[in-house]
Amino acid sequence: MQAARLYGIEDIRIETVQAPAEPGPDQVRIRVMAAGICGSDLHNFRTGQWMTRTPVTPGHEFSGEVMAVGPGVTGFRPRDRVVADSRVGCGTCHACQQGRSNLCASLGFVGEVCDGGFAGEVTLPARQLHRIPPDMPFWLAALAEPLSVAVHAINRLAPDSGMPVVVCGGGTIGGLAALVLSERHDGRVYLVERDPQRVRLLQETCGVSPVALDAIGPLVDGQAPRFMLDTTGSVAVAGHLLDHAAPGGRLVLAGLTATKLNLDLNLIVERELEVRGVSAFADEMPQAITLLPELRERLKAFVTMIQGVEQIPDVYGELLAQQRTGLKTLIFPHPVAEEA
């Protein structure tokens, strides 16, 4: 079978590799049907920040069909449709024992610590899988992982009913968060995003109100924001939001950065501000899977579909050069006959 193999910084190759052997105890072999390219895949490709082994097959956002199950697997059977849980915890630390593997001290991800979904097939432990409805298309199911991150971010934000929310960044996570907020939150959603195509897309699909970062001070309603979500990872954006947050405000950070924020702690103390982080997701994947069907029609506008893993190196280059529109590029290792 063909697979995309990451050998090092800016070195990803398409190779013919041996298909996985029959699954061992508690393992499941999956035919990958749709896999999403994540910003963290591109970041790892450019910087090698999370490389723990090479070569490795990237890809942690994917859906597929069960081909075989190993001894001891009782929750899955061949032909079941599944999505992968991207998180790989140690299973023994306090966080993992509490069911919070996203806070594991040695947290890793599928496609980094083990082979992922940019291939025709992959084998994973059964505990890494969630079953999806048999009528859910594979392209839609492949969005379950990033949608879980967005839902976790919104759960961490927990905006009060009717209150406006500021979302900074209109990429995959910011866009999905805006979409879920438009569906579930009854307050106005403001979007800070420089790309006019993304702004237009999210206006049409989510009804967001575009706003310049400099205009966050008071917003249009004359009040400073209390509920703010940053998905950009920009320290300048985070600093600006903290500087202009209303007393009692809450800032949730869902973007990774390579620099440090020069923070005035007095600002947080005197205004009783809250700053919350987002590490992947907790137990939101079942919630995200349930949400997908009702978001399906609007999610169509978010995705670009590419046939064949052999396209991945070129697509990486195009995404890094910002030559592709849409918020999520999906790769189909095999022909899929299903309606969008």
Side-chain angles (χ1 to χ4, degrees):
M1 68 177 185
Q2 283 196 312
R5 301 285 283 168
L6 184 64
Y7 275 80
I9 295 174
E10 297 188 350
D11 185 3
I12 191 166
R13 312 174 195 177
I14 303 302
E15 297 182 338
T16 299
V17 300
Q18 188 172 3
E22 286 303 301
D26 301 317
Q27 291 185 330
V28 176
R29 191 167 101 242
I30 305 145
R31 180 179 173 90
V32 179
M33 300 305 289
I37 298 177
C38 176
S40 63
D41 295 320
L42 301 176
H43 181 79
N44 212 20
F45 170 75
R46 279 194 310 108
T47 69
Q49 181 174 351
W50 301 301
M51 287 183 188
T52 58
R53 49 172 281 192
T54 55
V56 68
T57 300
H60 59 270
E61 305 175 358
F62 63 91
S63 62
E65 184 177 78
V66 173
M67 299 182 67
V69 300
V73 175
T74 58
F76 301 96
R77 59 185 179 182
R79 304 203 60 161
D80 280 348
R81 291 188 174 209
V82 295
V83 293
D85 183 329
S86 59
R87 308 163 303 165
V88 181
C90 70
T92 59
C93 71
H94 178 73
C96 286
Q97 290 294 310
Q98 295 297 312
R100 306 182 72 187
S101 60
N102 63 314
L103 301 181
C104 175
S106 57
L107 178 66
F109 288 89
V110 172
E112 294 169 11
V113 300
C114 64
D115 286 338
F118 292 167
E121 299 177 15
V122 66
T123 296
L124 289 177
R127 67 177 180 276
Q128 298 289 134
L129 302 174
H130 289 264
R131 188 185 291 105
I132 60 172
D135 60 346
M136 180 177 287
F138 290 113
W139 74 264
L140 184 64
L143 300 176
E145 200 274 354
L147 183 59
S148 299
V149 178
V151 172
H152 184 50
I154 293 170
N155 289 344
R156 297 281 288 159
L157 186 63
D160 292 346
S161 177
M163 293 297 295
V165 173
V166 175
V167 176
C168 290
T172 302
I173 301 305
L176 289 172
L179 180 57
V180 175
L181 286 165
S182 73
E183 187 76 17
R184 296 298 174 91
H185 181 59
D186 57 358
R188 196 169 185 178
V189 179
Y190 293 95
L191 175 71
V192 178
E193 170 56 54
R194 293 180 295 184
D195 186 321
Q197 289 184 313
R198 287 180 172 180
V199 171
R200 185 163 51 251
L201 171 63
L202 293 174
Q203 279 184 294
E204 293 172 354
T205 56
C206 311
V208 297
S209 299
V211 61
L213 183 63
D214 291 343
I216 295 176
L219 287 168
V220 192
D221 58 8
Q223 297 180 356
R226 283 188 54 209
F227 299 98
M228 302 157 290
L229 169 62
D230 177 60
T231 67
T232 68
S234 165
V235 295
V237 171
H240 186 90
L241 293 175
L242 285 172
D243 284 342
H244 294 88
R250 180 178 300 146
L251 171 62
V252 170
L253 302 174
L256 295 171
T257 181
T259 55
K260 294 183 179 181
L261 176 64
N262 185 11
L263 185 61
D264 181 1
L265 293 179
N266 291 328
L267 195 67
I268 294 176
V269 172
E270 293 170 356
R271 295 189 193 171
E272 289 195 355
L273 302 180
E274 293 182 56
V275 180
R276 297 182 177 182
V278 171
S279 176
F281 53 95
D283 55 359
E284 286 88 1
M285 187 162 274
Q287 183 182 353
I289 292 170
T290 301
L291 270 173
L292 284 170
E294 63 186 87
L295 302 177
R296 174 176 174 169
E297 292 305 311
R298 286 186 284 173
L299 284 171
K300 288 180 184 178
F302 282 31
V303 302
T304 302
M305 304 184 190
I306 304 294
Q307 184 68 50
V309 295
E310 67 274 9
Q311 306 293 331
I312 288 176
D314 288 340
V315 174
Y316 265 37
E318 292 165 1
L319 289 170
L320 287 168
Q322 298 181 337
Q323 295 173 345
R324 284 192 164 270
T325 58
L327 301 189
K328 176 60 64 176
T329 299
L330 299 177
I331 303 295
F332 294 84
H334 307 282
V336 179
E338 61 182 16
E339 293 184 3

